[in-house]
């Protein structure tokens, strides 16, 4: 698999919402709301679903946008964290993150910080590319249980956790 964080390539977001995508107008509205609300420091308004917009569409578009923003942020600092100086993915001395995806890593596995982030971002990208979860074809609908899947079921909960 081609790594998202190959240091020899310029980073480009992997997910783009094309004008032919049925959620393109929602994406445009989300960008407009972010510009208006985050500039003013109003996070409550930034995450609020605008009147007349479907909650599932709104969330799916914002998850993709958040993934792209996190990619850009990590891409700008990945050179500072190498296998040698970041041998463990942790949050200070008390918390260590272990990777398990029930595919390649069937049990919780210690990875270096760059390998953990690369594996995580590749996993998230696979989820975002799954048409059953994040449909992109014109006329397609986000599944009605999208919010539950995003926040309550075990694997997509990892997606939600990973992106915030």
């Amino acid at each position: 698999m081609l790594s998202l964080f190959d240091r020899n390539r310029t980073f480009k977001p992997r997910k783009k919402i094309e004008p032919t995508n049925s959620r393109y107008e929602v994406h445009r509205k989300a960008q407009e709301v972010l510009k208006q609300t985050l500039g003013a420091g109003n996070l409550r308004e930034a995450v609020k679903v605008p009147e007349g917009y479907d909650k599932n569409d709104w969330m799916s578009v914002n998850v993709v946008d958040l993934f792209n923003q996190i990619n850009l942020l990590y891409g700008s600092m990945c050179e500072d964290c190498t296998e040698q100086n970041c041998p463990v993915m942790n949050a200070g001395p008390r918390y260590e993150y272990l990777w398990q995806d029930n595919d390649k890593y069937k049990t919780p596995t210690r990875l270096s910080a760059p390998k953990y982030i690369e594996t995580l971002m590749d996993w998230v990208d696979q989820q975002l590319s799954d048409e059953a979860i994040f449909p992109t074809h014109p006329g397609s609908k986000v599944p009605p249980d999208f919010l539950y899947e995003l926040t309550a079921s075990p694997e997509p909960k990892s997606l939600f956790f990973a992106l915030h």
Side-chain angles (χ1 to χ4, degrees):
M1 174 183 290
L2 179 63
S3 171
L4 181 63
F5 300 112
D6 182 348
R7 290 182 168 89
N8 298 319
R9 297 170 48 112
T10 301
F11 170 79
K12 293 181 182 161
R14 294 176 103 175
K15 299 299 294 178
K16 184 176 180 189
I17 299 177
E18 300 289 338
T20 57
N21 185 310
S22 60
R23 271 161 289 297
Y24 182 72
E25 286 303 315
V26 179
H27 169 71
R28 285 178 31 128
K29 180 67 174 177
Q31 296 302 309
E32 178 186 315
V33 167
L34 281 175
K35 285 179 188 172
Q36 292 172 356
T37 56
L38 287 182
N42 190 340
L43 286 176
R44 277 195 201 280
E45 289 300 313
V47 298
K48 188 174 167 184
V49 180
E51 193 172 317
Y53 285 84
D54 179 76
K55 186 176 6 177
N56 290 333
D57 283 343
W58 185 255
M59 287 297 295
S60 70
V61 163
N62 280 283
V63 166
V64 171
D65 286 344
L66 180 59
F67 174 71
N68 286 333
Q69 293 298 319
I70 290 170
N71 264 335
L72 287 171
L73 179 64
Y74 181 71
S76 70
M77 57 188 191
C78 66
E79 291 180 10
D80 295 330
C81 185
T82 66
E83 301 274 336
Q84 292 73 36
N85 66 3
C86 299
V88 175
M89 182 65 181
N90 62 14
R94 295 183 59 199
Y95 300 98
E96 180 177 340
Y97 294 94
L98 303 176
W99 182 261
Q100 180 178 358
D101 58 15
N102 297 324
D103 183 26
K104 183 177 177 185
Y105 299 95
K106 301 212 182 285
T107 60
T109 306
R110 175 184 274 190
L111 299 175
S112 68
K115 181 66 177 169
Y116 185 97
I117 296 295
E118 176 184 338
T119 304
L120 172 67
M121 297 306 275
D122 285 344
W123 180 84
V124 171
D125 185 57
Q126 287 175 350
Q127 306 311 303
L128 296 178
S129 298
D130 184 342
E131 282 289 321
I133 303 171
F134 291 90
T136 59
H137 299 305
S140 61
K141 295 273 186 205
V142 174
D145 61 348
F146 176 78
L147 289 175
Y148 168 79
E149 291 295 325
L150 185 66
T151 60
S153 70
E155 281 193 23
K157 193 171 196 173
S158 299
L159 171 65
F160 185 72
F161 170 77
L163 292 176
H164 79 286

